[in-house]
Amino acid sequence: MSILLTGGSGKTAPRVAALLAADKKPFLLGSRQEPSAGSNGHPTVKFDMSDESTWTKLFESTQIKAVYMMEPRISEPWVPMNKFIDLAKKQGVNRFVLCAGTSATIGKDGMGRVWEHLIESGVDYCVLRPSWFMENLIEPGLAFTIGKLNKIFTAAQGGKIPFISAADIAEVAYHALTDEKSYNCDLRVLGPENLTYDQIAETLSKVLGRKIEHVKLDEAGRIDILVQAGLSEYFARFLTRLEVLASQDFEKGTSDAVERVTGHPPQSFAKFAEENKAVWSSN
């Protein structure tokens, strides 16, 4: 019996895969890319939440006992996700772990619809609600502006965010998938500190030995700079809206979920910055 990890090319699923591999637990990474694109040689299958033929092929060849679900970037993602849950349940899947976000609310459009469906379906489940990933700062866009321009551009102003590492999210997901007793609840997966981008810039300045500046933009200016960077206007508005909400302390919060589930506290941003300083030094 295997565990299916959707979002095989994302930040968390490959990390969950590494933990399962280390524990010699069978799993499959599901990816819209070809199977040869598997992360670090992990077993990978073709899986596309918007293509039902990839669902049926998967169950024809493999017995799945649990599924890790990531939100696909498609319109109304809860529609195919809920349909997949129904199919998987009929095929014997008895546990689902959904990685949602801070804004997920039961029954609300988005992952809240999937969360509601899991409860109504009577399956074992866990909904992870992490805050913003530390790894966003080493993605190409921010790696470039920090590495080359010594700047971080946001519309988050002085909003506080409990940045969390993808490694900690993956470890919580691993336990939610494999622990004998299902959690059947949601978990706020948050970092140890509520940090502003000014504080992020201060930490990076210390680690890199040069001044990193947080440039505060208004909503229109932030959308414009993201569009200039190559994002679609829709996605630029979406990301900017998240930053505007963060400026109002929407993300701010505390949680002991990481330590309670994994037995250790979540990684600090200072440690993350030290471990990844080569990314910003080489750009």
Side-chain angles (χ1 to χ4, degrees), residues 27-44:
F27 67 91
L28 293 170
L29 267 176
S31 174
R32 288 187 300 172
Q33 302 174 25
E34 291 303 314
S36 60
S39 171
N40 297 320
H42 295 316
T44 307

Side-chain angles (χ1 to χ4, degrees), residues 7 20 40 43 45 47 62 87 133 135 146-147 155-156 164 170 187 224 229 232 253 278 282:
L20 291 168
N40 297 320
V45 293
F47 182 87
T62 312
L87 172 66
F133 291 30
E135 284 74 10
I146 294 169
I164 181 76
L187 296 173
D224 184 59
S232 68
S282 60

Side-chain angles (χ1 to χ4, degrees), residues 6-181:
T6 72
S9 58
K11 293 184 180 73
T12 58
R15 288 176 167 86
V16 179
L19 293 170
L20 291 168
D23 209 16
K24 295 181 170 54
K25 295 185 184 295
F27 67 91
L28 293 170
L29 267 176
S31 174
R32 288 187 300 172
Q33 302 174 25
E34 291 303 314
S36 60
S39 171
N40 297 320
H42 295 316
T44 307
V45 293
K46 179 81 171 178
F47 182 87
D48 186 341
M49 192 61 77
S50 62
D51 181 358
E52 293 184 30
S53 68
T54 64
W55 310 354
T56 52
K57 286 180 182 177
L58 174 68
F59 288 111
E60 285 171 1
S61 59
T62 312
Q63 282 191 305
I64 304 293
K65 66 176 181 179
V67 177
Y68 178 63
M69 301 183 74
M70 293 293 300
E71 178 180 358
R73 288 187 180 179
I74 57 177
S75 176
E76 299 187 345
W78 60 88
V79 176
M81 292 176 78
N82 287 348
K83 192 170 183 179
F84 173 76
I85 289 168
D86 292 341
L87 172 66
K89 182 182 176 183
K90 289 179 181 178
Q91 296 294 328
V93 176
N94 56 23
R95 187 178 297 191
F96 296 84
V97 175
L98 171 67
C99 190
T102 305
S103 62
T105 304
I106 297 175
K108 181 181 176 182
D109 280 1
M111 293 303 93
R113 290 280 196 99
V114 183
W115 184 356
E116 178 181 56
H117 191 68
L118 288 170
I119 294 172
E120 292 176 345
S121 297
V123 296
D124 283 341
Y125 77 95
C126 184
V127 176
L128 309 184
R129 298 170 61 220
S131 187
W132 293 9
F133 291 30
M134 293 179 186
E135 284 74 10
N136 291 341
L137 289 153
I138 57 175
E139 288 289 300
L142 277 167
F144 174 80
T145 62
I146 294 169
K148 290 293 188 183
L149 307 178
N150 296 320
K151 298 181 188 298
I152 304 172
F153 299 92
T154 84
Q157 307 302 326
K160 294 185 176 182
I161 303 166
F163 289 91
I164 181 76
S165 75
D168 284 325
I169 299 168
E171 194 169 347
V172 173
Y174 167 81
H175 282 282
L177 287 163
T178 64
D179 284 357
E180 184 176 352
K181 184 176 176 59

Side-chain angles (χ1 to χ4, degrees), residues 243-264:
E243 292 181 355
V244 171
L245 285 172
S247 75
Q248 302 161 4
D249 281 343
F250 178 78
E251 292 289 330
K252 184 179 177 181
T254 59
S255 170
D256 67 349
V258 173
E259 187 160 12
R260 181 157 40 91
V261 172
T262 69
H264 63 76

